[in-house]
Amino acid sequence: MSRIWTTRRDEKARRIKSIAHLTQNAILNKENIIEAMEALIQPGDRVVLEGDNQKQASFLSESLLQVNASKVNNLHMIMSSVSRPEHLDIFEKGIAKKIDFSFSGPQSLRVSQMIEDGTLEIGEIHTYLELYGRLFIDLIPNVALVAADKADRFGNLYTGPNTEETPAIVEATAFKDGIVIVQVNEIVDELPRIDIPASWVDFVVEADQPYQLEALFTRDPKLISELHILIGMMTIRGVYEKHQVKSLNHGIGFNTAAIELLLPTYAESLGLKGKIAKNWVLNPHPTLIPAIESGWVDTVHCFGGEVGMEAYCAARPDVFFTGKDGSLRSNRAFAQVAGQYAIDMFVGSTLQMDMRANSSTVVSGRLAGFGGAPNMGHDPKGRRHSSEAWLDLITSDDPLSKGRKLVVQTVETFQNGNTPVFVESLDAIEVAKQAHLATAPVMIYGDDVTHVVTEEGVAYIYKAEGEEERKQALSAVAGVTSVGSKADAAVISSLRERGIVAYPEDLGIHRNQANRSLLAAKNVRDLVEWSDGLYNPPAKFKNW
Amino acid sequence: MSRIWTTRRDEKARRIKSIAHLTQNAILNKENIIEAMEALIQPGDRVVLEGDNQKQASFLSESLLQVNASKVNNLHMIMSSVSRPEHLDIFEKGIAKKIDFSFSGPQSLRVSQMIEDGTLEIGEIHTYLELYGRLFIDLIPNVALVAADKADRFGNLYTGPNTEETPAIVEATAFKDGIVIVQVNEIVDELPRIDIPASWVDFVVEADQPYQLEALFTRDPKLISELHILIGMMTIRGVYEKHQVKSLNHGIGFNTAAIELLLPTYAESLGLKGKIAKNWVLNPHPTLIPAIESGWVDTVHCFGGEVGMEAYCAARPDVFFTGKDGSLRSNRAFAQVAGQYAIDMFVGSTLQMDMRANSSTVVSGRLAGFGGAPNMGHDPKGRRHSSEAWLDLITSDDPLSKGRKLVVQTVETFQNGNTPVFVESLDAIEVAKQAHLATAPVMIYGDDVTHVVTEEGVAYIYKAEGEEERKQALSAVAGVTSVGSKADAAVISSLRERGIVAYPEDLGIHRNQANRSLLAAKNVRDLVEWSDGLYNPPAKFKNW
């Protein structure tokens, strides 16, 4: 008895043949999608559903919810982002059973509840790149359900500005005899460019409406406060300038939006243009427009697109990556690789930080996941190339010592509603117990953090010697939280002298300088003007 | 004066137009390649030359050597692998000036000499994934010179089993208005499958002979010694079995080849089949054939192909990733991501290891680079998912503690010629000074290593408490090297009791068991037989 080595391929052929009556080459009619799914997806399958950060295969997820659960059940779902109600409804209906994911921001409360109720079984929570890696090792998909802008009649795909993670998912599925089903907004005769070749695609279906796309990286400058601006100014002087940071990523948030809008004003007044913040890996943040237009930004590689930024990016190909058709090419997998390995600095924010600088956005009752932060917010130990900023963080004279990536956390000491950010112990520890996770869901570990910036000052914790001194440096910038009240005046004074803590005055900043008049754009309309009318914000950001 | 935002695109169009008389759509005749290169490549350009591990764009590198250095000069070369003489000849002719690379094994001696002579300026040395990341940030290419198996007349590419890093290089170049020139073995009317779409390609040239392809991952079982087998047995019992390692990568070497050939024999006798070593990220090692045929291996994702393994991989699609045409699809970028983030264990080897377990293959006078080892041979701090093996390495009861990737170094205490592997200080420190590198070229840092296995025993250095105990654990397995002579019998005895060191007898292994009769294949011919004649080894491995 010789073993058969083509079971996956044979099974794929069988399933495809079983819906031959529904297809014309690669094209499936939307009316037949549920019948097709019931044949193409089998109980227990591993199914990757595209759920990116911004782009959602919304027609396919809605259709999956409508399959007959006696035919399709116990699926093991793999999703970067749990974003839409039906992403969880499929578990309540028994269509799906287990999930491996990265981020569940909008659904984090419900995820927690469903785990408690036993309707959802968690595999693991991942950072994006880690999840893509597992698609080639121990989470190889049987089926991929993804979204693209356009397809031609052969099944070639155009993903336009929102390529995101589609190629990574499709590659892992297509080249292991999985079935790739793509919803497109439109089937056309000729594509502007080909992002994914038809050889990798099994079925294309024109959806009833365009895939869901969220403007996740748009921050309205009118919501930037003077605290954000103060933190931004200290970060520019105390981190960007001090370490000569050239290449970087910014997380989502008003702290970093403030920095982007301070580059052409405050940072320009310091003579920093051309010296810092030149090469970016970043979604197309609208708040970066003034810096781009002022000549601050050499290049930006994007994880995904951003609603309304399409025409602007297309008109700035010296800065953005674009295809032969002229529109943006994003790529989440490569942007995450670059964000991990090729930049000087990651700047993020958090909801909770403990006294060892461990931080998490997982707070009581919410299992939010991680997104890309763990990947970019750590010192990649495989890195071997140096840069000025990276070398500047060497604190030892060991002949084998090496530099470090800057991992900067910018936080206000209190969140809205008087909730302190600095806490004795992370909620994540309790959440791990409740959700039966093997380890606590920490977003960024304290030993990876190099700088913490609050409205009180900058803690250069990479310089602190020993755990006790790290705690004191953190306390020194933790304000009137219970952690901050542990700060000792004499110790703080010594830390400031040794450059381990800097207060605004140590950086030559007066608190009353931190004024909204420093922002290069004060509202979304200003951003549109800076862009010469090329930026077209979504309606919810237009109030003029 | 408004800024022009299309300078790269305009310059690309100008260059392409200047050779309009030489081209027919995307096709360039090989007779015109030098004239075309002199127009398409300009002084000071950043040029990525494919130089993978196995696949070389040899026709294009030979052609580059023939351009007129008064027209094309001072190039900044970016190459994964410096493998061929002309990769360095171009520096001697002044065509190129600076290089960023990952690996220079075959040319490492000459690289060192040329740096000393001032004919070669080193940018940085990288692990592969890090270099790909920089292609999107601060090493964006102007021109890419790559290799594929076949193209059609539109410029679509078939890379066959040797996709390797071609898509990563092409993406970074094509989507930033760089020029992509591809040598192919053959231009055909219809491709077996499309690996890279024509939208990403500017010019295709049919080379005078197929691109160079080296069988780098083939190890002849007849060269496996009883020491290799002893080390292999201890690694299987003391690491794979002990920690229940399911997913893994093996570096190149006879130690790991021995392990591959012991799985269907020794490991099978231990009842480990189906429990360990199921999911691999690995080039198609011929020495893995017996384990695959015996049902040990569930899946293998490949960095690249391996000469002679094409038909075998194509016949085992349940195990290997293959395309619709049936042949292997490799992908170095995704395999490196998986090898970093998604596996339980990396097993490597080294030429030198110091008392803190730092190791390097950079030895006196040779600047060999790193390849993929630093990326896979460290604990990725962005990892958030757990596995049985990963959790098994937790040594703390801190509620925020997490698991660790296993990073295992298997070495004989002496290399050929009585050169000790264990040394007081790495040659890399001196090499860094001579080559004016910012940091010493360490391959794997000691604090990333969890286990060291020699013919003496296994050191579980992740369990050692403090630097002094780590040193003693290493000394205990360092044999009669000067490092080994520091071992203290009483300390060793205590380390063995505490499970920090294990000698063969502690693992239930008798040294005289380590016999070549345990190898599932004793020579290359045996491998061919195991493969049912599907493996077709290169001539140099055929001696029957």
Side-chain angles (χ1 to χ4, degrees):
Chain A
M1 279 250 308
S2 73
R3 175 171 160 189
I4 293 163
W5 297 92
T6 54
T7 60
R8 281 180 69 99
R9 185 177 295 167
D10 299 343
E11 173 62 12
K12 174 174 176 174
R14 187 195 67 74
R15 296 188 195 180
I16 288 178
K17 200 175 160 200
S18 77
I19 61 155
H21 60 290
L22 299 178
T23 60
Q24 216 178 0
N25 297 321
I27 311 295
L28 259 172
N29 283 332
K30 57 176 172 285
E31 293 73 21
N32 298 325
I33 187 66
I34 295 164
E35 185 182 348
M37 277 182 160
E38 288 174 349
L40 295 173
I41 310 177
Q42 296 290 305
D45 271 0
R46 278 198 209 111
V47 178
V48 193
L49 172 60
E50 187 166 26
D52 285 18
N53 221 334
Q54 292 111 299
K55 180 170 73 164
Q56 306 293 331
S58 40
F59 171 73
L60 292 176
S61 57
E62 283 169 359
S63 302
L64 183 61
L65 182 61
Q66 294 171 59
V67 300
N68 185 335
S70 70
K71 293 183 184 164
V72 180
N73 49 56
N74 290 301
L75 301 180
H76 178 167
M77 303 301 297
I78 304 166
M79 302 176 59
S80 276
S81 175
V82 182
S83 310
R84 294 169 55 86
E86 73 268 18
H87 290 171
L88 294 173
D89 295 343
I90 53 174
F91 291 87
E92 286 177 347
K93 281 188 68 176
I95 296 165
K97 184 181 178 190
K98 184 174 176 182
I99 187 166
D100 278 277
F101 71 102
S102 285
F103 181 67
S104 69
Q107 301 291 339
S108 58
L109 196 60
R110 197 167 157 217
V111 166
S112 288
Q113 285 168 343
M114 288 176 66
I115 293 169
E116 229 175 294
D117 300 345
T119 41
L120 183 73
E121 183 189 328
I122 292 268
E124 298 282 337
I125 316 177
H126 311 72
T127 190
Y128 295 128
L129 201 55
E130 177 184 16
L131 189 61
Y132 308 151
R134 291 191 71 193
L135 297 180
F136 295 91
I137 303 291
D138 61 351
L139 287 181
I140 296 170
N142 301 100
V143 178
L145 306 174
V146 302
D149 287 25
K150 301 174 201 279
D152 66 19
R153 280 164 214 291
F154 306 101
N156 291 297
L157 304 181
Y158 173 68
T159 49
N162 307 297
T163 304
E164 302 214 356
E165 68 192 28
T166 318
I169 295 173
V170 170
E171 172 149 2
T173 311
F175 290 103
K176 203 70 183 60
D177 290 318
I179 296 172
V180 176
I181 306 172
V182 189
Q183 73 167 74
V184 298
N185 300 344
E186 201 184 353
I187 294 176
V188 297
D189 286 330
E190 204 170 338
L191 295 174
R193 74 178 188 234
I194 294 177
D195 288 291
I196 295 175
S199 319
W200 308 15
V201 172
D202 296 299
F203 298 107
V204 164
V205 53
E206 198 174 70
D208 49 2
Q209 51 180 320
Y211 57 73
Q212 185 199 349
L213 191 65
E214 287 296 315
L216 288 182
F217 293 88
T218 299
R219 289 292 172 272
D220 188 336
K222 104 175 165 269
L223 301 176
I224 295 176
S225 71
E226 294 182 348
L227 272 196
H228 297 134
I229 294 168
L230 178 63
I231 292 173
M233 291 168 73
M234 286 194 285
T235 311
I236 288 171
R237 283 232 79 166
V239 184
Y240 293 52
E241 179 182 8
K242 178 178 166 57
H243 303 293
Q244 297 286 300
V245 171
K246 304 270 189 305
S247 53
L248 69 163
N249 169 257
H250 276 180
I252 313 177
F254 287 104
N255 289 320
T256 44
I259 293 172
E260 290 153 23
L261 292 170
L262 288 170
L263 290 176
T265 56
Y266 176 67
E268 185 114 11
S269 75
L270 299 171
L272 297 176
K273 188 161 139 181
K275 295 181 184 161
I276 62 163
K278 294 165 66 163
N279 302 113
W280 298 68
V281 56
L282 194 78
N283 281 287
H285 288 190
T287 40
L288 197 62
I289 293 172
I292 294 172
E293 294 300 307
S294 313
W296 271 77
V297 176
D298 285 357
T299 60
V300 180
H301 186 255
C302 296
F303 304 85
E306 182 66 4
V307 182
M309 287 288 283
E310 297 82 359
Y312 179 76
C313 295
R316 300 289 180 267
D318 277 355
V319 173
F320 292 98
F321 282 70
T322 58
K324 279 188 181 169
D325 65 316
S327 74
L328 184 74
R329 164 89 175 185
S330 60
N331 187 315
R332 189 174 306 282
F334 280 124
Q336 287 289 342
V337 168
Q340 178 188 26
Y341 263 132
I343 58 174
D344 291 333
M345 179 175 69
F346 164 80
V347 186
S349 202
T350 186
L351 295 181
Q352 280 193 340
M353 180 175 285
D354 73 10
M355 295 195 60
R356 291 186 289 167
N358 296 300
S359 62
S360 188
T361 51
V362 169
V363 290
S364 229
R366 289 187 177 273
L367 202 55
F370 304 124
N375 178 59
M376 294 190 285
H378 78 270
D379 184 37
K381 300 178 86 179
R383 174 169 170 167
R384 294 294 180 270
H385 79 279
S386 66
S387 71
E388 194 177 351
W390 186 83
L391 290 171
D392 202 41
L393 261 67
I394 294 181
T395 54
S396 147
D397 54 7
D398 182 336
L400 294 185
S401 64
K402 54 180 173 141
R404 259 183 97 161
K405 181 189 209 169
L406 282 78
V407 176
V408 181
Q409 291 279 32
T410 61
V411 289
E412 294 157 80
T413 54
F414 283 86
Q415 291 287 326
N416 301 335
N418 279 339
T419 311
V421 168
F422 292 93
V423 294
E424 303 284 333
S425 172
L426 298 180
D427 288 357
I429 295 173
E430 270 315 301
V431 172
K433 283 182 199 160
Q434 282 157 16
H436 308 291
L437 303 178
T439 56
V442 174
M443 171 90 84
I444 297 185
Y445 285 89
D447 56 4
D448 281 316
V449 177
T450 58
H451 301 71
V452 177
V453 188
T454 73
E455 73 276 15
E456 299 294 327
V458 184
Y460 297 89
I461 59 175
Y462 75 96
K463 276 189 183 176
E465 289 171 12
E467 196 162 319
E468 189 47 38
E469 191 167 278
R470 275 169 68 93
K471 281 186 191 172
Q472 287 169 343
L474 261 189
S475 298
V477 299
V480 296
T481 61
S482 70
V483 170
S485 66
K486 297 204 168 77
D488 172 296
V491 172
I492 291 179
S493 168
S494 148
L495 292 173
R496 287 172 71 184
E497 262 168 42
R498 290 163 55 213
I500 297 174
V501 167
Y503 285 162
E505 52 271 35
D506 304 326
L507 300 168
I509 294 168
H510 293 285
R511 285 178 184 272
N512 57 11
Q513 272 182 285
N515 195 291
R516 279 187 46 87
S517 66
L518 282 180
L519 295 177
K522 288 165 194 65
N523 50 51
V524 172
R525 191 169 189 170
D526 285 355
L527 294 174
V528 175
E529 269 171 34
W530 268 106
S531 79
D532 231 348
L534 291 164
Y535 172 44
N536 177 28
K540 65 176 171 180
F541 291 104
K542 276 188 191 161
N543 55 0
W544 62 91
Chain B
M1 278 251 307
S2 74
R3 176 172 160 188
I4 294 165
W5 296 93
T6 54
T7 60
R8 281 180 70 98
R9 186 178 295 170
D10 299 344
E11 173 61 12
K12 173 174 175 172
R14 186 194 68 73
R15 295 187 194 181
I16 288 178
K17 199 174 159 198
S18 77
I19 60 154
H21 60 290
L22 299 179
T23 60
Q24 218 178 355
N25 299 318
I27 311 295
L28 259 172
N29 282 330
K30 58 175 171 287
E31 294 73 23
N32 298 324
I33 187 67
I34 295 164
E35 185 182 347
M37 278 183 160
E38 288 173 348
L40 295 173
I41 309 177
Q42 297 289 304
D45 272 0
R46 278 198 209 112
V47 178
V48 192
L49 173 60
E50 187 168 26
D52 284 17
N53 221 335
Q54 291 111 300
K55 180 170 75 165
Q56 306 293 332
S58 41
F59 171 74
L60 293 176
S61 57
E62 283 169 359
S63 302
L64 184 60
L65 182 62
Q66 292 172 60
V67 301
N68 185 334
S70 69
K71 292 183 186 163
V72 180
N73 49 57
N74 290 301
L75 300 180
H76 178 169
M77 303 302 296
I78 304 166
M79 301 175 61
S80 276
S81 175
V82 182
S83 310
R84 294 169 55 85
E86 72 268 17
H87 289 171
L88 293 173
D89 295 344
I90 54 173
F91 291 87
E92 286 177 346
K93 281 187 69 177
I95 295 164
K97 183 180 177 190
K98 184 175 176 181
I99 188 165
D100 277 276
F101 71 102
S102 285
F103 180 66
S104 70
Q107 301 291 338
S108 59
L109 196 61
R110 199 169 155 214
V111 165
S112 289
Q113 286 169 342
M114 287 176 67
I115 294 169
E116 228 175 296
D117 300 346
T119 40
L120 183 72
E121 183 189 329
I122 293 269
E124 298 282 338
I125 316 178
H126 310 73
T127 190
Y128 295 128
L129 201 56
E130 176 185 16
L131 188 62
Y132 307 151
R134 291 191 71 194
L135 297 179
F136 295 90
I137 303 290
D138 61 350
L139 287 181
I140 297 170
N142 301 99
V143 178
L145 306 174
V146 301
D149 286 24
K150 301 174 199 280
D152 66 19
R153 280 161 215 293
F154 306 101
N156 291 297
L157 303 181
Y158 173 69
T159 50
N162 306 296
T163 303
E164 303 215 354
E165 68 192 29
T166 318
I169 296 174
V170 170
E171 172 149 4
T173 311
F175 290 103
K176 203 69 184 61
D177 290 319
I179 297 172
V180 176
I181 307 172
V182 189
Q183 73 167 73
V184 296
N185 299 344
E186 200 183 355
I187 294 175
V188 296
D189 286 329
E190 202 169 340
L191 295 174
R193 73 176 187 234
I194 294 178
D195 288 291
I196 296 175
S199 318
W200 309 14
V201 172
D202 296 298
F203 298 108
V204 165
V205 53
E206 198 175 69
D208 50 1
Q209 51 181 319
Y211 58 72
Q212 186 197 347
L213 190 65
E214 288 295 316
L216 288 182
F217 293 86
T218 300
R219 289 291 173 275
D220 188 337
K222 102 173 164 268
L223 301 176
I224 294 176
S225 71
E226 294 183 346
L227 271 196
H228 297 135
I229 293 167
L230 177 62
I231 292 173
M233 291 167 74
M234 285 194 286
T235 310
I236 288 171
R237 283 233 79 166
V239 184
Y240 293 51
E241 180 183 6
K242 178 179 166 58
H243 303 294
Q244 296 288 300
V245 171
K246 304 270 189 303
S247 53
L248 70 164
N249 169 258
H250 277 179
I252 314 177
F254 287 102
N255 290 320
T256 44
I259 293 171
E260 291 153 22
L261 292 170
L262 289 170
L263 290 176
T265 56
Y266 176 66
E268 186 114 9
S269 74
L270 299 171
L272 297 175
K273 188 161 140 182
K275 295 183 183 159
I276 62 163
K278 294 166 67 164
N279 302 113
W280 298 68
V281 55
L282 194 77
N283 282 286
H285 288 191
T287 40
L288 196 63
I289 293 172
I292 293 172
E293 294 300 308
S294 314
W296 271 76
V297 176
D298 285 356
T299 60
V300 180
H301 186 253
C302 296
F303 305 85
E306 182 67 5
V307 182
M309 287 287 283
E310 296 82 0
Y312 179 76
C313 294
R316 299 289 180 267
D318 277 353
V319 174
F320 293 97
F321 283 69
T322 58
K324 280 190 180 169
D325 65 315
S327 73
L328 185 74
R329 164 88 173 186
S330 60
N331 186 315
R332 191 176 302 286
F334 280 123
Q336 288 288 341
V337 167
Q340 178 187 27
Y341 263 131
I343 58 175
D344 290 332
M345 178 175 70
F346 165 80
V347 186
S349 204
T350 185
L351 297 180
Q352 280 193 339
M353 179 175 286
D354 73 11
M355 295 193 62
R356 291 186 289 166
N358 296 299
S359 61
S360 189
T361 52
V362 169
V363 290
S364 227
R366 289 188 176 272
L367 202 54
F370 303 125
N375 178 60
M376 294 188 286
H378 78 271
D379 184 37
K381 299 178 86 178
R383 174 168 171 168
R384 295 293 180 270
H385 78 278
S386 66
S387 71
E388 193 178 350
W390 187 83
L391 290 170
D392 202 43
L393 263 66
I394 294 181
T395 54
S396 147
D397 53 7
D398 182 335
L400 295 185
S401 64
K402 52 179 174 144
R404 261 183 96 162
K405 182 189 210 167
L406 282 77
V407 176
V408 181
Q409 291 277 32
T410 61
V411 290
E412 293 157 81
T413 55
F414 284 86
Q415 291 287 327
N416 301 337
N418 278 339
T419 311
V421 168
F422 292 93
V423 295
E424 302 285 334
S425 171
L426 297 180
D427 288 358
I429 296 173
E430 270 315 300
V431 171
K433 285 183 196 156
Q434 282 157 15
H436 307 292
L437 303 178
T439 55
V442 174
M443 170 90 83
I444 297 186
Y445 285 89
D447 54 6
D448 282 316
V449 178
T450 57
H451 301 70
V452 177
V453 188
T454 72
E455 74 277 16
E456 300 295 328
V458 184
Y460 297 90
I461 59 175
Y462 74 96
K463 277 190 183 176
E465 289 171 13
E467 196 162 320
E468 189 48 37
E469 192 166 278
R470 276 168 68 92
K471 281 186 191 172
Q472 287 168 341
L474 262 190
S475 299
V477 299
V480 296
T481 62
S482 70
V483 169
S485 66
K486 296 202 170 77
D488 174 296
V491 172
I492 290 179
S493 169
S494 148
L495 292 174
R496 286 173 70 184
E497 263 168 43
R498 289 164 55 214
I500 298 175
V501 167
Y503 285 162
E505 52 271 36
D506 303 328
L507 301 167
I509 295 168
H510 294 284
R511 287 177 183 272
N512 58 11
Q513 274 184 284
N515 194 292
R516 280 187 43 88
S517 66
L518 283 179
L519 295 177
K522 288 165 192 70
N523 50 51
V524 172
R525 192 170 187 170
D526 285 353
L527 294 174
V528 175
E529 270 171 36
W530 268 106
S531 79
D532 230 348
L534 291 164
Y535 172 43
N536 177 27
K540 66 176 170 181
F541 291 103
K542 278 189 193 160
N543 56 0
W544 62 93

